[in-house]
Amino acid sequence: MEKLKKGDLMEFYKREIGVSKPRNFSRRISASEAMVKRLDLYGKLTGHEGCVNTIDFNATGDVLVSGSDDRRVILWDWATATSKFSYPSGHMDNIFQTKFMPFTDDRKIITASADGQVRLGLVLENGRVETKKVGKHQGRVHKLAVEPGSPYILYSCGEDGFVQHYDLRSNSSSKLLRCSSFTENNKQSSSIRLNAIVIDPRNPNYFAVGGSDEYARVYDIRMYQLDARTSSDKPIDTFCPHHLVKTHDVHITALAYSNTSELLVSYNDELIYLFQKNMGLGPVPLSLQGEDLNKLEKPQVYSGHRNSQTVKGVSFFGPTDEYVLTGSDCGHIFIWKKKDAKLVRVMVGDRHIVNQLKPHPCIPVLATCGIEKTIKLWAPTSKDVTPLPPDVQEQIMEANRRGREDHSRVTLTPDMIMHVLRLHRRQALAYIERRENLGDVDSDDDDDDGGGGAYVLGFSDGEEGENSECSIS
């Protein structure tokens, strides 16, 4: 059995005799590998009637907010596994993102949905919640990004390719830019369907987006007027693993910035990559030839999981982002050390698929959600240090690798992707209609199809509905 390292034991000793400051002690122990290997299921949050697609802690970490296919928002006292209150979001389709606005006493909650709307929930003094639409995309809105420390400013990205800017003081939204593909030989550019947007915490003027091609694009807000009709969408930098440049058959599902501006990029049916700021391809990546690419340092790569059937999130974990974590189609949570990509933990997180993961802002606690209707909470409560499962290399990781390689033989053309998205849309509408016609919904334990009629990003040889499991942003 693995034990605490000598350095960790010394931290406990220093803390006992008063030499180590409480904050330093907490940060050091929270980042220890032994602590990560003690993560265990702390509890479940039950209350949604559909797949839970999004979770977010407030700034202090005592409240968790979630959104679901049932179009409701729930605020949780996660430590006691109880619901504080819930409200109907006003969305007409599955909720993909919920976020607290900073410095609003948790009274302003922003949501995004498959109906294309961005909505604001205002918690009133009497406990009621008023909701209103603050913006609209032509297509699904997967992600929102809130300007660090601002109770007013946020951004959204959608499948229409637009990034929109919001100022809640004026209840206004503006199209900031339309993200378009890079072209060669003067070919007409097409819109990039956007799945992810994140703001650099060290410089909030910079934000990165990713979507239906291989490039993560970084933009500077200072270069844009709040009117996309007069703005160029030229980024200040782009990031892509060298072997994926000009491949056109992968897309980005999630992005994350570390506290030191490292950019984490997760690809559909590919791997996860960590880019330092000096690894960018520049604003015009197609101008780089093979020799120029070879001169650039390659990103760190994290492998073992599979990100195919739904849109997986990716995140850092630890007080100074010591770990990288994601969910997987195999139902596991994967945790790697950031520095050397060593796999340190694999946990069963869902009977079907783990999609979204959210670390607590202060302590080593993790919230996850997936195809099931519950939210799972993880904390270092295990008495033992848990090793990797004995079958992790031979069975779990090998099966995920074979699945990626088999899928890589299929070329995903834009027409195929649009066809799948249209099927998803029809399946989502059918799901909502069934929800409205049914009085009761079975519990997680009785629901073997993991959500009863939403959908996944899978291919079923042309048969609509075979993969109709759950819609996850």
Side-chain angles (χ1 to χ4, degrees):
M1 182 188 302
E2 186 173 345
K3 299 180 180 179
L4 285 171
K5 296 179 180 179
K6 291 182 179 179
D8 298 328
L9 292 173
M10 185 58 66
E11 283 295 322
F12 278 104
Y13 172 71
K14 290 180 179 179
R15 177 72 181 93
E16 288 299 311
I17 64 176
V19 174
S20 176
K21 295 180 180 179
R23 182 176 177 85
N24 292 343
F25 172 81
S26 174
R27 292 172 71 89
R28 174 67 184 270
I29 296 303
S30 295
S32 70
E33 188 173 325
M35 187 68 73
V36 172
K37 290 184 176 182
R38 281 183 165 82
L39 287 174
D40 203 356
L41 185 63
Y42 175 83
K44 294 183 181 180
L45 305 180
T46 303
H48 280 295
E49 297 181 346
C51 303
V52 183
N53 302 329
T54 174
I55 44 180
D56 188 42
F57 286 101
N58 65 353
T60 56
D62 58 327
V63 179
L64 184 76
V65 64
S66 61
S68 166
D69 286 359
D70 62 14
R71 294 169 286 160
R72 295 190 67 83
V73 174
I74 300 181
L75 276 72
W76 306 88
D77 181 342
W78 63 267
T80 60
T82 58
S83 168
K84 294 169 67 69
F85 66 90
S86 66
Y87 67 90
S89 64
H91 287 291
M92 303 303 294
D93 212 330
N94 311 42
I95 298 175
F96 283 162
Q97 180 98 87
T98 56
K99 278 186 172 295
F100 290 106
M101 293 302 296
F103 301 108
T104 62
D105 197 25
D106 302 334
R107 292 185 177 273
K108 290 185 178 181
I109 301 163
I110 200 77
T111 59
S113 167
D115 63 9
Q117 294 186 49
V118 176
R119 298 185 67 86
L120 175 65
L122 297 170
V123 183
L124 306 179
E125 293 295 335
N126 59 9
R128 292 178 55 248
V129 180
E130 291 184 351
T131 68
K132 61 180 178 179
K133 183 178 74 174
V134 295
K136 182 76 166 65
H137 284 260
Q138 299 302 313
R140 300 189 296 180
V141 182
H142 290 280
K143 292 297 179 184
L144 303 167
V146 176
E147 184 176 292
S150 172
Y152 309 111
I153 305 301
L154 67 141
Y155 302 82
S156 65
C157 67
E159 290 184 351
D160 57 4
F162 280 102
V163 174
Q164 293 197 32
H165 173 277
Y166 302 81
D167 189 332
L168 299 182
R169 289 169 293 193
S170 60
N171 293 319
S172 65
S173 64
S174 303
K175 292 179 178 177
L176 191 63
L177 61 91
R178 174 181 173 270
C179 187
S180 56
S181 61
F182 298 111
T183 60
E184 294 179 293
N185 303 323
N186 297 319
K187 292 181 180 179
Q188 185 176 1
S189 62
S190 58
S191 177
I192 298 298
R193 295 173 296 281
L194 296 176
N195 297 322
I197 181 169
V198 289
I199 297 175
D200 186 341
R202 297 190 74 180
N203 188 345
N205 291 310
Y206 295 156
F207 64 91
V209 300
S212 59
D213 73 357
E214 63 268 37
Y215 301 102
R217 297 160 168 82
V218 178
Y219 297 92
D220 186 339
I221 182 65
R222 295 168 295 186
M223 297 175 61
Y224 296 93
Q225 301 293 324
L226 298 183
D227 184 350
R229 291 174 297 178
T230 59
S231 295
S232 164
D233 75 326
K234 185 177 180 180
I236 61 170
D237 209 349
T238 56
F239 294 87
C240 181
H242 302 174
H243 68 285
L244 295 181
V245 172
K246 301 182 183 180
T247 54
H248 310 301
D249 59 354
V250 296
H251 63 269
I252 294 169
T253 68
L255 301 169
Y257 266 120
S258 74
N259 291 322
T260 55
S261 299
E262 300 161 306
L263 184 60
L264 199 60
V265 184
S266 180
Y267 285 88
N268 177 263
D269 235 343
E270 234 275 339
L271 304 177
I272 297 170
Y273 298 88
L274 179 69
F275 294 92
Q276 308 296 329
K277 294 185 72 173
N278 63 349
M279 296 179 182
L281 307 179
V284 189
L286 297 186
S287 64
L288 292 177
Q289 302 302 318
E291 185 175 334
D292 297 323
L293 282 174
N294 292 333
K295 293 179 181 178
L296 295 174
E297 184 180 351
K298 293 183 179 180
Q300 181 65 269
V301 59
Y302 307 88
S303 64
H305 70 300
R306 187 164 184 217
N307 175 16
S308 176
Q309 295 189 63
T310 56
V311 181
K312 308 293 184 302
V314 68
S315 182
F316 293 97
F317 186 63
T320 54
D321 302 328
E322 291 86 354
Y323 300 92
V324 169
L325 51 86
T326 192
S328 176
D329 287 348
C330 60
H332 290 85
I333 300 164
F334 284 74
I335 305 178
W336 301 268
K337 294 188 75 171
K338 184 184 75 174
K339 185 175 181 180
D340 58 8
K342 173 189 174 185
L343 184 64
V344 296
R345 194 70 199 277
V346 176
M347 305 182 294
V348 177
D350 193 281
R351 288 180 297 134
H352 303 277
I353 300 172
V354 179
N355 289 288
Q356 302 298 330
L357 312 95
K358 190 68 178 181
H360 190 280
C362 307
I363 58 177
V365 168
L366 178 67
T368 65
C369 59
I371 296 297
E372 297 176 14
K373 301 170 190 174
T374 59
I375 299 162
K376 292 183 175 64
L377 299 163
W378 307 85
T381 57
S382 175
K383 295 180 180 179
D384 300 320
V385 174
T386 306
L388 290 173
D391 62 345
V392 65
Q393 186 67 49
E394 293 79 9
Q395 296 185 29
I396 300 173
M397 295 175 65
E398 179 63 20
N400 289 337
R401 184 192 63 80
R402 287 198 306 268
R404 286 194 306 270
E405 291 183 354
D406 291 344
H407 191 267
S408 68
R409 300 188 183 103
V410 180
T411 301
L412 301 181
T413 66
D415 288 342
M416 290 175 64
I417 294 173
M418 289 305 297
H419 174 68
V420 172
L421 293 176
R422 284 193 292 270
L423 294 183
H424 293 172
R425 177 70 176 175
R426 288 200 293 271
Q427 291 164 358
L429 293 175
Y431 164 81
I432 292 171
E433 184 177 353
R434 285 194 295 273
R435 286 291 186 202
E436 292 173 346
N437 291 336
L438 291 174
D440 298 310
V441 180
D442 293 337
S443 69
D444 266 333
D445 295 335
D446 298 327
D447 187 4
D448 290 334
D449 70 359
Y455 51 83
V456 297
L457 289 172
F459 292 92
S460 57
D461 298 325
E463 292 297 324
E464 180 176 347
E466 279 188 24
N467 283 322
S468 57
E469 297 293 331
C470 191
S471 66
I472 307 293
S473 69

